[in-house]
């Protein structure tokens, strides 16, 4: 009688397949690229000191703001010029709360109020817009108006916001049970904001891969067909708009305490346009593209302004034109699209 000794081997092979499949799913182009970017950001303070450690957290927060637009534009096909309005809500909420609420509760109240107010306002605006089927250029015009209104309110409510003079915001410490996250030093602020950026990226990536994210993509591609399948597209777009508003306010709250100053210009059309440029250049369908675009363009703008203060905006405009004309996926999307065929060829 012959005994089959291969049964155990086959069972072990079957057991290894899910793990191997999970590894293959993780080893996608964006995951590998994102790991490289975040590892590089983690080690920046080890390689550089002084100004880069001070300014890079602000650029990372711009990346969080850009990811909020990427959620709307990249997944849902909604181009919003109003993200700066929600950003400034978070910024002023942090400044007002730290000024008026004593103790360790102030910073948390600022974050909570900013995110709640921005998400509620975005949800309310989104409900009326999407229920009325406002789309395309009309939607863009309404979001432009939102930024304009936010800037006007920040200027006019001088007793609360400081008006044209802006508001100074001290650096804070976020107290947790058994742990204090201090943003008072440049190094401490750097790693707290790095952690915030990483967690926001991971959270939005999970949302992107979820059923909700897939429905948003379906809405972007063909809203009428998605609606015919029984999905309430207006509700899902409203939820996406509310989430994006909350994420933008979260970035604004941390920006206020890190930069130490908030001005009404942060909620204006010009800054909102910058956010659209960051996402377009980085790649609107990739959250990593939003981060890279925000950090890269902000750093490049700062450097060009120091080198050629007269023409730096012209050069950025030319870069934007080249990317839109020849790299429709954005810089990150183009790089990942080149890498994927290479992997398949192997």
């Amino acid at each position: 009688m012959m005994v089959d000794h291969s049964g155990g081997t086959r069972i072990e092979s079957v057991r290894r397949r899910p793990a191997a499949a999970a590894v293959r799913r993780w080893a996608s182009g964006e995951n590998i690229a994102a790991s490289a970017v975040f590892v590089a950001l983690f080690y920046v303070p080890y390689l550089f000191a002084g100004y880069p450690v001070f300014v890079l957290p602000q650029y990372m927060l711009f990346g969080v703001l850009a990811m909020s637009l990427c959620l709307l534009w990249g997944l849902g096909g909604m181009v919003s010029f109003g993200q700066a309005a929600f950003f400034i809500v978070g910024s002023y909420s942090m400044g007002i709360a730290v000024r008026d609420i004593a103790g360790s509760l102030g910073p948390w109240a600022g974050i909570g109020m900013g995110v709640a107010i921005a998400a509620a306002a975005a949800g309310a605006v989104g409900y009326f817009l999407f229920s009325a089927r406002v789309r395309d250029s009309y939607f863009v015009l309404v979001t432009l108006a939102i930024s304009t209104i936010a800037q006007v309110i920040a200027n006019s409510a001088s007793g609360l916001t400081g008006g044209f003079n802006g508001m100074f915001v001290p650096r804070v410490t976020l107290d947790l049970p058994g742990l204090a996250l201090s943003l008072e030093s440049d190094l401490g602020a750097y790693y707290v904001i790095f952690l915030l950026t990483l967690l926001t990226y991971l959270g939005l990536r999970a949302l992107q891969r979820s059923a909700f994210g897939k429905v948003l993509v379906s809405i972007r591609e063909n809203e009428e067909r998605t609606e015919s399948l029984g999905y309430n597209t207006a509700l899902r777009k409203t939820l996406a708009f509310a989430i994006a508003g909350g994420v933008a306010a979260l970035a604004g709250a941390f920006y206020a305490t890190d930069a130490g100053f908030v001005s009404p210009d942060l909620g204006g059309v010009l800054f909102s346009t910058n956010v659209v440029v960051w996402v377009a250049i980085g790649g609107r369908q990739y959250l990593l593209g939003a981060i890279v675009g925000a950090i890269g363009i902000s750093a490049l703008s700062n450097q060009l302004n120091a080198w050629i203060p007269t023409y730096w905006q012209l050069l950025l405009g030319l870069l934007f034109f080249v990317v839109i004309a020849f790299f429709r996926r954005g810089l990150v999307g183009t790089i990942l699209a080149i890498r994927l065929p290479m992997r398949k060829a192997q």
Side-chain angles (χ1 to χ4, degrees):
M1 182 177 65
M2 300 183 63
V3 179
D4 184 5
H5 296 284
S6 62
T9 304
R10 284 197 299 270
I11 293 173
E12 290 298 323
S13 176
V14 170
R15 287 175 179 171
R16 291 190 188 116
R17 285 174 189 169
V23 170
R24 283 195 299 271
R25 284 194 300 271
W26 179 88
S28 65
E30 183 174 1
N31 287 340
I32 293 174
S35 298
V37 168
F38 280 107
V39 168
L41 288 174
F42 180 84
Y43 281 104
V44 163
Y46 290 89
L47 303 174
F48 304 97
Y51 186 70
V53 178
F54 166 75
V55 76
L56 196 52
Q58 298 174 30
Y59 295 165
M60 285 191 281
L61 291 171
F62 290 163
V64 175
L65 173 61
M67 282 192 286
S68 74
L69 176 60
C70 188
L71 171 65
L72 292 175
W73 190 12
L75 264 69
M78 298 170 278
V79 185
S80 171
F81 280 79
Q83 293 309 104
F86 306 120
F87 184 82
I88 201 174
V89 167
S91 297
Y92 276 115
S93 294
M94 174 63 87
I96 293 169
V98 171
R99 182 190 65 192
D100 297 342
I101 301 176
S104 60
L105 180 60
W108 288 113
I111 295 171
M113 286 192 305
V115 171
I117 293 170
V125 171
Y127 174 78
F128 289 108
L129 290 179
F130 301 130
S131 297
R133 298 186 177 276
V134 176
R135 302 178 187 174
D136 303 328
S137 58
Y138 298 102
F139 178 78
V140 171
L141 291 174
V142 172
T143 58
L144 280 170
I146 292 172
S147 287
T148 303
I149 292 170
Q151 186 175 16
V152 169
I153 292 175
N155 278 322
S156 60
S158 57
L160 192 63
T161 65
F164 292 98
N165 295 322
M167 174 187 289
F168 289 96
V169 183
R171 290 200 171 185
V172 300
T173 297
L174 299 174
D175 289 327
L176 295 170
L179 179 65
L181 301 177
S182 175
L183 285 82
E184 296 180 6
S185 68
D186 288 346
L187 186 62
Y190 184 96
Y191 280 112
V192 171
I193 292 171
F194 168 82
L195 180 62
L196 172 71
T197 306
L198 176 60
L199 292 177
T200 303
Y201 173 79
L202 293 175
L204 291 180
R205 276 283 283 170
L207 184 66
Q208 185 182 34
R209 292 192 294 261
S210 69
F212 177 75
K214 293 174 182 176
V215 172
L216 280 181
V217 173
S218 178
I219 293 172
R220 180 193 71 199
E221 297 299 323
N222 193 321
E223 184 171 355
E224 288 76 13
R225 182 173 295 177
T226 305
E227 199 167 22
S228 69
L229 294 174
Y231 292 102
N232 187 337
T233 59
L235 176 61
R236 282 167 173 78
K237 290 165 71 174
T238 299
L239 288 175
F241 203 53
I243 293 170
V247 172
L250 180 66
F254 278 86
Y255 178 86
T257 185
D258 183 67
F261 182 76
V262 184
S263 71
D265 292 339
L266 281 176
V269 173
L270 180 59
F271 188 55
S272 281
T273 303
N274 287 338
V275 181
V276 175
V277 171
W278 298 335
V279 176
I281 290 178
R284 67 179 184 271
Q285 295 185 7
Y286 298 90
L287 293 167
L288 180 64
I291 296 174
V292 171
I295 295 176
I297 299 303
S298 298
L300 181 62
S301 300
N302 194 9
Q303 199 63 51
L304 289 177
N305 190 23
W307 289 343
I308 42 175
T310 306
Y311 300 105
W312 70 273
Q313 290 179 318
L314 175 61
L315 292 179
L316 282 182
L318 290 174
L319 173 62
F320 180 69
F321 172 78
V322 169
V323 171
I324 294 300
F326 300 104
F327 305 97
R328 296 294 182 89
R329 295 172 178 262
L331 297 179
V332 170
T334 300
I335 293 171
L336 295 179
I338 293 173
R339 188 178 182 277
L340 288 175
M342 293 174 59
R343 289 180 63 192
K344 291 177 181 178
Q346 295 173 357

